[in-house]
Amino acid sequence: MTSPSGTPDHEPENTAEADSADGPVGAGPGGPPPGGPVQGGPSAVLRGQPGFREPPEDYVKAAKTAPNHWLSVIDRHWNGDEGEPAPTWASLGRWRSDENGEIVEWEVNTDYRPSPDAHGWAPPVSPVDAAVQLVATGYASEDVFALMLADAEVAVCLDENGGLAVTDAEDGTEAVPVFSPSPELEDDRLPPHEVMSVPALLDRLPEGKEVLFLSSSAPVGQLVTAGSLREAKSDLERYEAEEAADVWSTPPAPSGGSPEGFADLPDLGSVEGWPDFPTDAQWPTDETVEGGPGSGDGPAGRPERPGPAAAGEN
């Protein structure tokens, strides 16, 4: 199933990122004059003009240390490797600082993908529920979701006869609807269901039917084929076997003494002048910087509960 579209209900937590050490595109050696021409693209506006977005205080402070720079707003849901630049779609937009370190321009990113926080969705009730939110917003892949679901425990919707319920996905595919069980969900709003593992569900799945996972916290879902779930389960079992084989084991010491290479080491208790190691309180500490500027206000209220209740209407 696809993710909702439209303007986010509120902004997520974000981080600032300076785009260039040489200043914005088109800036001369002295930088653009304050209030000068727009340096960004078609969506850029100068301070004081309609559409300019006021920066929070942490971005104002960051601009003071980075004159003649673009400061990007990166959605916190994007989590790349250390040093990996954020993709274009993970940025809400960017502010430009002038030669005095004052923010004078805002450019919204029309390619931004709103994350679950930006949509104002309720917190997920399980790791799989969190994964389906990320898949729906483009922050995780369908393959990763299949791995998450492959050995999870789910609530499987039942029909009036106690058998597995079957519904139509958005593309018309017949599938058995499932969702994450949680004590937070109100039983009187849920369809008849049975809690079981996904491998147990696959053993009972009718021929030609797939699995439709419905989020318990957001109006999204994900269709997953039975074949991809079986393949993901095999991958998980292979990963577990490889990890078990890689567990380091200490080789036995040779008979008659210490292992080779250790026999000539002195007895540490007999070494004179052994230095005193510092206590925990004496170790230096590194100052760290928080993960970036904070978010704006959250949504006014929680969205209505999602699809599991709707599954019983099909």
Side-chain angles (χ1 to χ4, degrees):
M1 297 178 71
T2 57
S3 63
S5 60
T7 304
D9 296 325
H10 74 293
E11 302 298 353
E13 294 179 5
N14 313 300
T15 58
E17 201 172 82
D19 287 355
S20 170
D22 298 322
V25 176
V38 170
Q39 300 291 326
S43 63
V45 293
L46 295 175
R47 177 182 289 277
Q49 295 180 345
F52 180 83
R53 176 174 172 172
E54 289 294 334
E57 184 61 28
D58 36 16
Y59 277 79
V60 174
K61 292 179 180 178
K64 294 292 187 184
T65 65
N68 291 332
H69 273 73
W70 285 100
L71 301 175
S72 290
V73 187
I74 306 301
D75 194 296
R76 74 174 184 88
H77 274 279
W78 183 78
N79 185 21
D81 296 330
E82 184 176 355
E84 179 184 0
T88 302
W89 50 260
S91 172
L92 287 77
R94 57 182 186 166
W95 281 287
R96 177 171 64 85
S97 61
D98 65 9
E99 60 184 357
N100 299 315
E102 300 291 335
I103 291 179
V104 294
E105 186 174 343
W106 163 253
E107 181 181 13
V108 67
N109 178 22
T110 56
D111 294 327
Y112 169 59
R113 299 178 187 173
S115 65
D117 278 356
H119 281 292
W121 294 341
V125 301
S126 72
V128 181
D129 194 40
V132 77
Q133 288 193 12
L134 294 176
V135 172
T137 51
Y139 282 76
S141 70
E142 294 181 5
D143 291 340
V144 170
F145 179 74
L147 288 171
M148 295 285 294
L149 183 60
D151 63 351
E153 187 176 73
V154 294
V156 181
C157 297
L158 305 177
D159 59 23
E160 62 274 11
N161 299 317
L164 301 182
V166 177
T167 189
D168 291 335
E170 284 189 343
D171 62 358
T173 301
E174 292 186 333
V176 174
V178 305
F179 59 94
S180 284
S182 170
E184 298 178 10
L185 302 178
E186 301 173 11
D187 289 338
D188 59 348
R189 298 187 60 188
L190 298 177
H193 62 274
E194 178 182 347
V195 176
M196 66 182 75
S197 68
V198 169
L201 168 61
L202 294 176
D203 290 339
R204 296 172 53 181
L205 197 67
E207 184 70 24
K209 303 299 186 288
E210 313 299 353
V211 176
L212 177 61
F213 184 88
L214 301 173
S215 174
S216 297
S217 57
V220 295
Q222 182 67 33
L223 180 66
V224 190
T225 66
S228 64
L229 286 173
R230 292 189 176 98
E231 182 179 352
K233 179 60 175 174
S234 297
D235 289 342
L236 290 175
E237 292 173 348
R238 185 177 71 254
Y239 298 152
E240 292 174 357
E242 291 174 353
E243 286 184 359
D246 290 340
V247 173
W248 182 80
S249 58
T250 304
S255 57
S258 301
E260 184 178 355
F262 288 85
D264 297 332
L265 289 178
D267 179 4
L268 298 183
S270 65
V271 176
E272 296 182 358
W274 193 257
D276 292 330
F277 288 99
T279 65
D280 289 343
Q282 294 171 321
W283 281 106
T285 59
D286 295 329
E287 290 187 0
T288 58
V289 179
E290 303 247 343
S295 63
D297 294 335
R302 292 167 63 94
E304 293 187 2
R305 285 295 180 187
E313 299 174 3
N314 293 325

